[in-house]
Amino acid sequence: MRLSIKTNKTGSNYTIIGDYKNLKGKRSTYVYESLGNDTKLIERFGSNDTMTKVQEYIDSLNRQECIYPENYIKAHFLENHDQTRLAAYVPDAKLRNHWNAFALFAKGIGFVYNGQEYSALRRPELFEVDTIDRSGEDISWLIRSMMKIKRNEICRKGSFFAREIRRGVVKAEYTYNQERLIGYFRLDGPACSIDSGIDEGEYKDELTGKAIQVFHGVLKLDETPVIFHFKRT
């Protein structure tokens, strides 16, 4: 496996790119980036410039579709050993559902850090015995559901694009041939109704398995994201 490290002008962010062959001899490119500016987005949650940072983050995800090799696999994470917990920055459990789901939905591999599945508030010690605090909200169901969604072929072979369709609301989409996988994520602000861009009807939410009604293209976002899978006919 070949690794290269790139550092930006400030030296605070880095990118590790690995070129390797799997057991079947197929080549892939792994991309691991420190959160850097992405962490600043979480740190500024609730401030006036949060949405500016959301748009910058979305733009960077879209840009990666152009600058990285076609077979790139990006690593995404919201928590790590040297960062404050997501639950400390985003106390609203409903919004955390959207943040966690979006990080796992984005193209690549999503990482869950020690205790994040229980919405832990305190960052654990690395060099001492420090058991996971399981008293917080258990979101393991969401992680399992997102894992199932990401195993779809469209997430491996499809193109990814995201955009902010309303202040604080992101629409992210995979496309592959005539297939579409669309997710709607509320990253800031209260529950709201949005223009989904899809036809009126009843659709299955891939995250919860529930039937979701769309009237005149309007979709309500509240406790959890909504993810629709339109398969080829």
Side-chain angles (χ1 to χ4, degrees):
M1 181 173 178
R2 176 176 58 83
L3 293 178
S4 62
I5 299 178
K6 300 178 181 179
T7 305
N8 68 359
K9 293 181 180 180
T10 64
S12 60
N13 299 329
Y14 56 86
T15 303
I16 300 177
I17 300 177
D19 185 16
Y20 80 104
K21 290 184 179 180
N22 63 15
L23 295 178
K24 296 183 179 180
K26 185 177 179 179
R27 301 184 72 89
S28 295
T29 302
Y30 269 96
V31 182
Y32 174 92
E33 286 189 322
S34 70
L35 279 181
N37 292 332
D38 301 350
T39 305
K40 297 299 183 184
L41 166 63
I42 306 297
E43 290 176 353
R44 297 185 182 190
F45 177 80
S47 65
N48 292 332
D49 64 346
T50 301
M51 289 304 101
T52 300
K53 294 300 179 181
V54 167
Q55 188 58 57
E56 290 178 2
Y57 178 53
I58 297 305
D59 289 344
S60 70
L61 291 180
N62 292 330
R63 188 162 54 248
Q64 289 165 11
E65 282 286 279
C66 302
I67 65 175
Y68 289 141
E70 184 178 0
N71 62 351
Y72 82 95
I73 303 175
K74 176 71 183 295
H76 298 277
F77 57 91
L78 294 174
E79 295 186 9
N80 208 344
H81 65 90
D82 57 351
Q83 294 170 357
T84 302
R85 294 285 197 179
L86 176 65
Y89 286 128
V90 188
D92 187 326
K94 294 180 180 180
L95 280 180
R96 286 201 306 273
N97 287 336
H98 287 261
W99 276 102
N100 280 299
F102 181 71
L104 295 171
F105 187 82
K107 189 171 184 179
I109 297 176
F111 286 96
V112 177
Y113 183 63
N114 187 20
Q116 184 177 343
E117 67 274 28
Y118 290 103
S119 307
L121 277 168
R122 185 177 56 80
R123 188 173 63 195
E125 296 290 339
L126 286 179
F127 305 106
E128 298 179 9
V129 177
D130 195 351
T131 58
I132 296 175
D133 179 6
R134 291 178 168 84
S135 63
E137 182 175 358
D138 185 353
I139 63 165
S140 56
W141 69 269
L142 183 147
I143 297 169
R144 288 193 299 268
S145 184
M146 289 305 305
M147 288 174 61
K148 182 179 179 181
I149 291 171
K150 287 299 288 286
R151 290 192 180 106
N152 282 288
E153 182 182 40
I154 190 173
C155 294
R156 299 193 307 272
K157 297 183 178 181
S159 299
F160 177 84
F161 181 77
R163 64 189 179 94
E164 189 178 15
I165 59 174
R166 172 181 172 148
R167 183 176 176 85
V169 177
V170 171
K171 177 182 179 180
E173 180 174 356
Y174 288 90
T175 55
Y176 180 61
N177 293 333
Q178 299 176 14
E179 189 174 353
R180 300 170 71 196
L181 182 67
I182 307 174
Y184 301 89
F185 305 89
R186 180 171 62 92
L187 301 184
D188 197 13
C192 60
S193 296
I194 60 169
D195 183 357
S196 66
I198 61 177
D199 295 333
E200 180 172 330
E202 182 177 280
Y203 302 91
K204 177 186 175 183
D205 176 15
E206 297 294 323
L207 181 64
T208 63
K210 297 178 181 179
I212 302 294
Q213 292 286 342
V214 176
F215 296 100
H216 301 292
V218 177
L219 173 68
K220 184 177 180 179
L221 283 182
D222 187 7
E223 185 172 351
T224 60
V226 175
I227 299 174
F228 296 138
H229 192 179
F230 301 95
K231 300 181 180 180
R232 289 175 292 180
T233 58

